[in-house]
């Protein structure tokens, strides 16, 4: 880096050179030189600002992929200073932005937002159990202060106080009536008892569902859950809870297998993988890393599959062998054999979130990525426009061909120009190379209105796994990891269906305990779950408790 003295000396030399040009009557050359120096300094200044933003981001530990609008403006300014060959595309990009702005504004005007009202305290649901508590005046206070006569009750004021009762256990005693013949003294008949998921087990469906949801949706390790149960009045060993989880996983396995069948038959199957540590006594470190592969069919059916390793043979090649139809994933080489006929003949669909991520990683150090980031954002704005208009697949495809195709053409031209002018080893060239290599897969969505732009739905399901493993750290065995895969599959599918996962799991376990027929397995899927109206509308009122 130059010192202040060196910079000053350099500027003095430039000043003398400009004076010399003017003295020689070459004023136009002096102006051009001064302008070129000014543009170079502006370019350098903007890049310094971006580098400073990168350092601030690192210090703050920010991981968001959002870009500050002011930073994006700086990046666009520095990029446009040398974009002589891109003037036409830049103008078209700006025009497209303006058109999208007008269309979004028009849609918001056509469907005005509901008027804002002052926040009003919402009444508590009548479905909540209620304790009715009466407050009375003392007998002395019920005398009229004016004439001394007894006062007559004319009504009462009612107010509500929301209270929390810590989770507690209830014991259900099932008394089974027994009958015998008093004459012949032979043959005893006993009334059937409650259906149990675990033979001779103590846990009812509600408790089993609570254990499973607490671990795989609320991300509580079983030892911590056992400590919570102690506060509720019951001491349960972690090993007992683990046994209950195992039993639930085995019972719901047929339902999850049916979800997997639905996912495989889906129009679009998304996939991604993530590591999971597993205890292994034979490993020198005592733990090894397996892989949880996630598959999402039509953004509706979620299935996790555990593999002891991260290889394709144990993972996608095994689970997706013979796959035909669309398969959306990142550009990892492990998926290549699923597209080239070696293991399957799937049609590759690229992920724009991954492509964007390559450029976003350079946003704080290279202003030139502003242009591809702007174009990719326009692709998503076109999708948002389709969503706001409520377009079906056919209409969405038409909109994509009309509006997204020109955006893609401009991006493709920029990628090719940049690759030709950049050193192959540069970070920008590698980011461009990723998109160019994936171009056919990335543009597949234009020809099918049902295809999503990215694989984010699948990544969101894996996020639940990622949060969980930060808490329970590892699976106890390969079998434990497989059980986790089953229960994650069920709960994430229920979450995508928009239902109460806890209520759904209780109802599911009750039906399975009663011996639900396999031929009616589809009725047990989350998409078929109908809340029990009676159970949610039952209010429990305690006996009046006069106070005072």
């Amino acid at each position: 880096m130059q010192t202040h003295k060196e910079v000053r000396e350099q500027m003095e030399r430039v000043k003398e050179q400009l004076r010399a040009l003017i003295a020689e009557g070459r004023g136009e050359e002096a102006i051009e030189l001064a302008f070129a120096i000014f543009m170079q300094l502006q370019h350098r200044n903007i890049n310094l600002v971006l580098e400073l933003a990168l350092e601030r981001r690192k210090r703050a530990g920010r991981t968001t992929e959002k870009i500050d609008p002011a930073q994006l403006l700086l990046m666009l300014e520095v990029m446009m200073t040398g974009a002589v060959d891109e003037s036409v595309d830049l103008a078209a990009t700006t025009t497209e932005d303006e058109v999208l702005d007008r269309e979004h504004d028009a849609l918001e005007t056509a469907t005005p937002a509901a008027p804002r009202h002052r926040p009003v305290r919402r009444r508590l649901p009548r479905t909540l159990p209620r304790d009715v508590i009466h407050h009375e005046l003392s007998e002395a206070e019920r005398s009229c202060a004016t004439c001394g006569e007894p006062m007559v009750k004319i009504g009462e004021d009612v107010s509500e106080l929301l209270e929390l009762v810590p989770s507690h256990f209830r014991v259900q005693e099932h008394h089974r009536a027994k009958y015998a013949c008093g004459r012949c003294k032979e043959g005893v008949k006993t009334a059937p008892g409650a259906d149990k998921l675990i033979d001779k087990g103590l846990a009812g469906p509600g408790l089993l569902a609570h254990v499973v949801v607490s671990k795989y949706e609320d991300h509580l390790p079983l030892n911590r859950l056992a400590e919570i149960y102690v506060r509720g009045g019951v001491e349960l060993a972690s090993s007992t809870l683990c046994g209950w989880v195992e039993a639930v996983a085995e019972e719901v396995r047929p339902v999850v297998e049916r979800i997997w069948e639905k996912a495989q038959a889906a129009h679009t199957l998304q996939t991604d993988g993530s590591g999971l540590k597993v205890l292994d006594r034979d490993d020198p470190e005592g733990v090894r890393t397996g892989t949880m592969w996630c598959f999402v069919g039509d953004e509706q059916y979620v299935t996790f599959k555990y593999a002891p390793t991260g290889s394709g043979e144990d993972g996608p090649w095994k689970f997706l062998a013979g796959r035909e139809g669309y398969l959306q994933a990142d550009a990892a080489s492990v998926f290549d054999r699923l597209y080239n006929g070696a293991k399957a003949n799937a049609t590759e669909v690229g992920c724009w979130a991954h492509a964007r991520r390559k450029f976003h990683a350079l946003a704080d150090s290279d202003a030139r990525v502003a242009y591809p980031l702007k174009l990719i954002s326009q692709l998503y704005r076109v999708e948002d426009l389709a969503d706001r208009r409520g377009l079906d697949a056919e209409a969405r495809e038409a909109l994509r061909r009309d509006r997204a195709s020109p955006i893609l053409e401009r991006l493709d031209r920029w990628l090719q120009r940049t690759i030709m002018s950049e050193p192959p080893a540069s970070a920008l060239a590698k980011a461009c190379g990723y998109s160019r290599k994936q171009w056919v897969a990335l543009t597949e969505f234009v020809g099918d209105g049902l295809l999503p732009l990215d694989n984010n739905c699948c990544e969101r399901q894996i996020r639940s796994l990622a949060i969980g493993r930060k808490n329970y750290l590892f699976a106890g065995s390969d079998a434990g990891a497989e059980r986790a895969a089953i229960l994650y599959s069920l709960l994430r599918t229920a979450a995508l269906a928009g239902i109460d996962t806890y209520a759904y799991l209780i109802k599911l376990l009750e039906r399975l305990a009663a011996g639900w027929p396999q031929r009616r397995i589809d009725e047990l899927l989350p998409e078929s779950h109908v809340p029990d109206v009676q159970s949610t509308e039952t209010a429990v009122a305690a006996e009046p408790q006069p106070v005072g």
Side-chain angles (χ1 to χ4, degrees), residues 271-475:
T271 184
D272 203 353
S274 187
L276 178 66
K277 291 183 179 180
V278 179
L279 291 182
D280 186 354
R281 294 181 180 178
D282 297 330
D283 192 279
E285 297 183 1
V287 64
R288 55 183 170 78
T289 302
T291 302
M292 278 285 200
W293 294 100
C294 180
F295 305 94
V296 182
D298 287 342
E299 300 188 347
Q300 183 178 5
Y301 303 103
V302 182
T303 305
F304 282 86
K305 295 283 188 179
Y306 171 73
T309 70
S311 69
E313 199 67 50
D314 282 340
W317 304 350
K318 171 185 175 181
F319 302 131
L320 299 179
R323 166 73 183 176
E324 295 183 357
Y326 292 116
L327 179 63
Q328 188 169 39
D330 59 25
S333 59
V334 71
F335 300 115
D336 290 347
R337 295 193 183 188
L338 300 174
Y339 309 127
N340 61 18
K343 296 293 181 179
N345 290 291
T347 300
E348 183 178 9
V349 181
C351 173
W352 275 106
H354 280 84
R356 180 188 182 278
R357 210 164 287 158
K358 303 293 183 182
F359 294 111
H360 181 270
L362 306 175
D364 291 314
S365 57
D366 194 331
R368 291 172 293 177
V369 299
Y371 189 58
L373 287 174
K374 169 61 71 176
L375 292 172
I376 294 172
S377 73
Q378 288 184 347
L379 293 178
Y380 280 92
R381 292 190 69 187
V382 171
E383 290 303 298
D384 181 58
L385 189 64
D387 292 337
R388 289 169 179 258
R389 291 177 176 175
L391 302 183
D392 59 16
E394 185 177 353
R396 184 182 293 266
E397 180 183 337
L399 180 67
R400 287 175 174 178
R401 291 187 184 278
D402 181 45
R403 302 291 292 280
S405 292
I407 298 172
L408 291 169
E409 290 171 4
R410 290 194 290 273
L411 178 56
D412 189 31
R413 284 194 292 269
W414 184 87
L415 291 172
Q416 295 190 50
R417 281 197 299 265
T418 304
I419 290 174
M420 293 295 293
S421 60
E422 276 290 295
S426 73
L428 182 58
K430 291 179 180 179
C432 294
Y434 176 92
S435 294
R436 280 299 306 153
K437 184 179 179 181
Q438 287 288 107
W439 194 251
V440 174
L442 286 171
T443 56
E444 191 72 41
F445 77 96
V446 177
D448 191 324
L450 292 176
L451 294 179
L453 260 66
D454 54 45
N455 202 34
N456 283 354
C457 181
C458 185
E459 290 194 1
R460 285 193 294 270
Q461 310 318 309
I462 291 179
R463 189 176 303 156
S464 182
L465 167 68
I467 296 173
R469 70 188 175 204
K470 286 183 179 179
N471 289 276
Y472 54 71
L473 302 179
F474 48 75

Side-chain angles (χ1 to χ4, degrees), residues 11 71 159 261 357 444 481 492 516:
M11 295 303 295
Q71 181 182 348
S159 61
E261 291 174 2
R357 210 164 287 158
E444 191 72 41
R492 295 315 304 163
W516 193 265

Side-chain angles (χ1 to χ4, degrees), residues 232-254:
V234 176
E235 186 173 347
L236 296 168
S238 298
S239 58
T240 299
L241 302 183
C242 186
W244 291 352
V245 169
E246 179 180 356
V248 172
E250 289 304 314
E251 288 294 330
V252 303
R253 185 187 292 271

